[in-house]
Amino acid sequence: MSIKLLIADDHHVVRRGLVFFLKTQKDIEIVGEAKNGVEAVAMVKKFQPDVVLMDLVMPEMDGIEATREIKRALPSTEIMMLTSFSDQDHVVPAIEAGAAGYQLKDIEPDELADSIRKLMNGENTLHPKATSHLMTRVNQDEPSPHEVHQLTRRERDVLLELAKGKSNKEIASSLFITEKTVKTHISNLFSKLEVSDRTQAALYAVKHGLASPERKF
């Protein structure tokens, strides 16, 4: 099945360039182009794409607010930020709004296509700069979810593998368990860590220093 993709960017040349390249990918179908956040939200509701490539700074409604609206209306639609901004003031709000991916516009075209596929497979698609900013954002004022809801040893093992960007199949192979068991553990992790997807769980692990085998939970 092809990946239904919507592109939201206020720069016509950028949109056209993305469409021109991504149309060459046999497994990606462009279902719409939006030039601002308001159009993006409306088109998502109309076409129900699998993935939205979302610019951050756009007129009428920016990418962060559009992401928030889209995730509220269609939680299953994945959002990948594609922007020129890599500072913490843009990265963190975008992820908190519900973006599962964050890439910069200097990304190689083939790498962008691969990132879209990885996003659909539940793998991490965050630029290293984005990950770095999220690692530094730790709230010290109140107990973290993993401190309130203790993880089991196997849940910790799964979280470590998930933080490495591994798929369910790869995690199952590494831990010698079934994919069904992996899915159960990941569902429990989402609940205990108070996150909604694999990207947020992996970021949580990195952000709270849980992504190292030496870490004691």
Side-chain angles (χ1 to χ4, degrees):
M1 292 179 62
S2 61
I3 300 169
K4 294 194 297 182
L5 180 74
L6 177 74
I7 298 171
D9 197 298
D10 63 325
H11 290 94
H12 179 73
V13 172
V14 174
R15 288 200 316 275
R16 289 284 84 203
L18 289 170
V19 170
F20 180 79
F21 170 71
L22 292 171
K23 275 190 173 180
T24 67
Q25 308 298 302
K26 295 181 179 180
D27 58 340
I28 296 176
E29 175 191 358
I30 310 295
V31 297
E33 302 175 50
K35 61 179 180 290
N36 58 57
V38 173
E39 285 189 2
V41 173
M43 287 186 177
V44 165
K45 292 178 179 178
K46 180 178 181 180
F47 299 116
Q48 300 189 8
D50 300 308
V51 178
V52 178
L53 276 185
M54 181 79 75
D55 192 14
L56 263 178
V57 180
M58 294 184 291
E60 297 191 45
M61 180 187 289
D62 65 24
I64 292 173
E65 183 59 31
T67 295
R68 193 175 291 116
E69 290 291 327
I70 289 168
K71 295 303 288 187
R72 187 179 296 127
L74 287 169
S76 62
T77 296
E78 300 288 5
I79 312 290
M80 179 184 290
M81 291 297 181
L82 185 62
T83 177
S84 302
F85 298 95
S86 61
D87 58 285
Q88 184 169 332
D89 290 340
H90 287 93
V91 171
V92 174
I95 300 301
E96 290 179 342
Y102 198 105
Q103 294 293 345
L104 300 183
K105 287 184 176 177
D106 61 0
I107 189 172
E108 292 293 329
D110 288 335
E111 187 179 347
L112 175 61
D114 286 340
S115 292
I116 293 169
R117 297 183 184 101
K118 287 179 179 179
L119 192 64
M120 286 301 297
N121 289 330
E123 298 179 49
N124 298 336
T125 57
L126 291 166
H127 189 279
K129 288 183 180 178
T131 303
S132 177
H133 287 313
L134 289 162
M135 286 174 63
T136 64
R137 186 179 175 88
V138 180
N139 188 344
Q140 303 287 356
D141 297 333
E142 57 186 41
S144 300
H146 75 278
E147 295 172 326
V148 177
H149 309 289
Q150 293 293 315
L151 305 183
T152 66
R153 172 173 289 279
R154 189 50 103 187
E155 287 168 352
R156 298 198 301 264
D157 292 339
V158 171
L159 182 60
L160 289 172
E161 297 300 311
L162 189 153
K164 297 175 185 175
K166 292 186 177 181
S167 64
N168 286 0
K169 184 176 182 180
E170 290 170 331
I171 294 174
S173 178
S174 296
L175 300 180
F176 302 102
I177 55 179
T178 66
E179 287 188 57
K180 183 177 180 180
T181 300
V182 171
K183 289 180 180 178
T184 298
H185 287 312
I186 289 178
S187 177
N188 291 338
L189 284 168
F190 287 177
S191 177
K192 289 186 176 182
L193 302 182
E194 299 177 10
V195 298
S196 58
D197 58 41
R198 298 170 70 93
T199 297
Q200 291 181 0
L203 290 175
Y204 184 102
V206 174
K207 190 167 94 172
H208 292 273
L210 308 180
S212 169
E214 291 78 24
R215 169 76 185 197
K216 291 186 177 180
F217 291 72

